[in-house]
Amino acid sequence: MDATELGAWLRLSLTPGIGNTGARQLLAAFGSAQAIFEQDADTLRQLGSDRLVDALQTEPATLAAQLQATLDWLQGADNRRVVTLGDTGYPPALLDIEDPPSMLYMLGALDPWASPATNNGAICLAIVGSRNPTPQGESNARQFAKVFGEAGLCVVSGLALGVDGAAHDGVLLGGGSTIAVVGTGLDRVYPKQHLALAHRIAQQGLIISEFPLGTLPLTANFPKRNRLISGLSQGTLVVEAALKSGSLITARLAAEQGKEVFAIPGSIHSPQSRGCHALIKQGAKLVESAQDVLEELNLPHVSALLPPGNDDEEQPAEDPLFTAMGFEPVSLDALQARTGLATAELQARLLSLEMTGEVARLQGGLFQRMATG
């Protein structure tokens, strides 16, 4: 795309009152972004009000600076590109959502839509959840994503703290690919704690934004980008979510788009599990392992991932301390009452298990056994 064409697309996206729907109508009428701005007022008035005509014939004050910033950004050393509706590099799956962006900014080596795995390219699965997950929830996100990566799936998430970051990290550990859909311009990383992770994704995956360069992490941007997370994916897995979590927005959008919704259940006492439980009540598929999701997606190579297992094989005896803990958060006093261990001995054992990652220390002086595998 040359500078003139890019400038026309930027002008269209920056013109107030147009939006994605208005842009599609104008493009359908005139064929290209450049052609829209070549029309006279009478022709434009056939498609809208005088206010629309005035907006289209007034160049946005920020256009020149935005065009130069975009051209400079595109000259970066890594894989940077801008794609628009109709481009061959535009994600086919997004053409089927209610409000596809007219422009997308992309950063990264991954080109998932070039894959022959499906008609729309690579098989993508969204993983979303709390920004403040429990230790078990964060571990679940990472472990599930790792298995999905090993199975050849592309994991889509939002680069947020908590579940999103763990999902991106996990799938990369599993040798898979990942797409991060962000709520800022691609000339900045939010949150800053994920700067190193963003660099890894750019090298092994793809970062996408519909927002112009320079866009700050405004609160309204994040629910808006969720439709792209679900739209790019064949299904959405919610790991942990409170009842008012943005992850439930993503799940609702996925259901409206006709996609599968999966949810991992948790403790009935945990606020971070209530969103998942609500989804399950509404028809989301309850999953207890990554294999549950893979089987539901009906991938041909799932059987190779399933452990052989032997129901008759004798299992080793469980540590009595684990039996006493169960999988619910538990206080030191309760554990002492259940086990009869002296305080010093119990604290020493818990510390040892923390060091090996088998037990997590929670807020409020609680401990929780960590499920593995």
Side-chain angles (χ1 to χ4, degrees):
M1 174 184 318
D2 62 26
T4 301
E5 184 181 1
L6 176 60
W9 278 101
L10 282 170
R11 181 174 175 176
L12 184 61
S13 69
L14 294 172
T15 299
I18 300 297
N20 293 320
T21 300
R24 289 198 304 278
Q25 292 171 345
L26 289 165
L27 289 165
F30 303 117
S32 72
Q34 289 174 264
I36 293 169
F37 299 104
E38 295 170 353
Q39 308 304 314
D40 59 32
D42 290 338
T43 303
L44 291 172
R45 196 170 286 114
Q46 296 175 19
L47 294 180
S49 64
D50 288 340
R51 181 179 297 180
L52 172 68
V53 174
D54 289 343
L56 287 170
Q57 293 195 322
T58 303
E59 183 176 300
T62 60
L63 177 61
Q66 190 67 50
L67 175 58
Q68 189 59 56
T70 305
L71 290 171
D72 291 343
W73 178 78
L74 287 169
Q75 296 303 310
D78 43 17
N79 296 283
R80 303 178 183 195
R81 51 208 184 269
V82 175
V83 298
T84 60
L85 282 169
D87 285 352
T88 56
Y90 194 93
L94 293 186
L95 296 174
D96 295 330
I97 69 174
E98 185 175 347
D99 187 29
S102 58
M103 295 181 68
L104 286 171
Y105 301 77
M106 297 185 179
L107 168 62
L110 182 66
D111 188 5
W113 303 286
S115 167
T118 69
N119 290 334
N120 285 341
I123 299 172
C124 296
L125 179 74
I127 299 182
V128 296
S130 173
R131 285 176 167 81
N132 299 290
T134 65
Q136 185 64 66
E138 185 171 354
S139 175
N140 286 343
R142 183 170 285 104
Q143 293 302 319
F144 273 59
K146 184 174 182 290
V147 174
F148 297 149
E150 292 167 348
L153 270 66
C154 176
V155 167
V156 184
S157 198
L159 198 62
L161 294 174
V163 165
D164 287 16
H168 290 305
D169 180 56
V171 69
L172 292 176
L173 291 174
S177 57
T178 189
I179 299 172
V181 184
V182 302
T184 66
L186 289 192
D187 54 341
R188 61 189 67 231
V189 173
Y190 180 83
K192 292 294 186 184
Q193 297 95 313
H194 280 168
L195 183 60
L197 177 60
H199 283 221
R200 290 171 60 203
I201 295 173
Q203 293 169 359
Q204 300 174 251
L206 185 65
I207 306 176
I208 293 179
S209 177
E210 65 179 308
F211 301 104
L213 299 177
T215 301
L216 299 172
L218 304 175
T219 301
N221 292 351
F222 295 93
K224 184 178 180 181
R225 62 91 193 264
N226 289 349
R227 78 193 193 288
L228 306 186
I229 295 176
S230 59
L232 287 168
S233 310
Q234 289 187 227
T236 294
L237 170 65
V238 183
V239 177
E240 278 189 344
L243 282 173
K244 294 185 178 181
S245 169
S247 302
L248 299 194
I249 298 175
T250 310
R252 174 179 58 79
L253 291 168
E256 291 174 355
Q257 293 164 355
K259 312 292 183 63
E260 297 282 3
V261 178
F262 306 95
I264 300 176
S267 168
I268 60 173
H269 304 294
S270 172
Q272 303 291 51
S273 295
R274 289 174 186 162
C276 290
H277 294 168
L279 289 173
I280 292 168
K281 290 177 182 178
Q282 295 163 14
K285 293 179 171 60
L286 184 157
V287 297
E288 297 175 312
S289 68
Q291 282 79 10
D292 290 342
V293 178
L294 293 171
E295 289 174 343
E296 193 66 36
L297 293 175
N298 196 28
L299 299 181
H301 50 291
V302 167
S303 58
L305 297 171
L306 298 176
N310 185 348
D311 294 338
D312 298 326
E313 185 178 345
E314 184 177 348
Q315 300 297 318
E318 185 172 64
D319 186 326
L321 179 56
F322 282 151
T323 302
M325 292 185 77
F327 286 96
E328 297 282 337
V330 61
S331 68
L332 184 68
D333 289 343
L335 270 179
Q336 190 170 19
R338 294 176 190 176
T339 62
L341 294 173
T343 302
E345 181 182 356
L346 182 56
Q347 289 177 327
R349 293 196 59 189
L350 288 171
L351 178 60
S352 176
L353 292 170
E354 277 188 76
M355 298 295 289
T356 60
E358 296 172 275
V359 167
R361 187 185 297 266
L362 310 180
Q363 292 183 350
L366 300 177
F367 298 86
Q368 185 175 24
R369 178 181 177 183
M370 298 286 288
T372 57

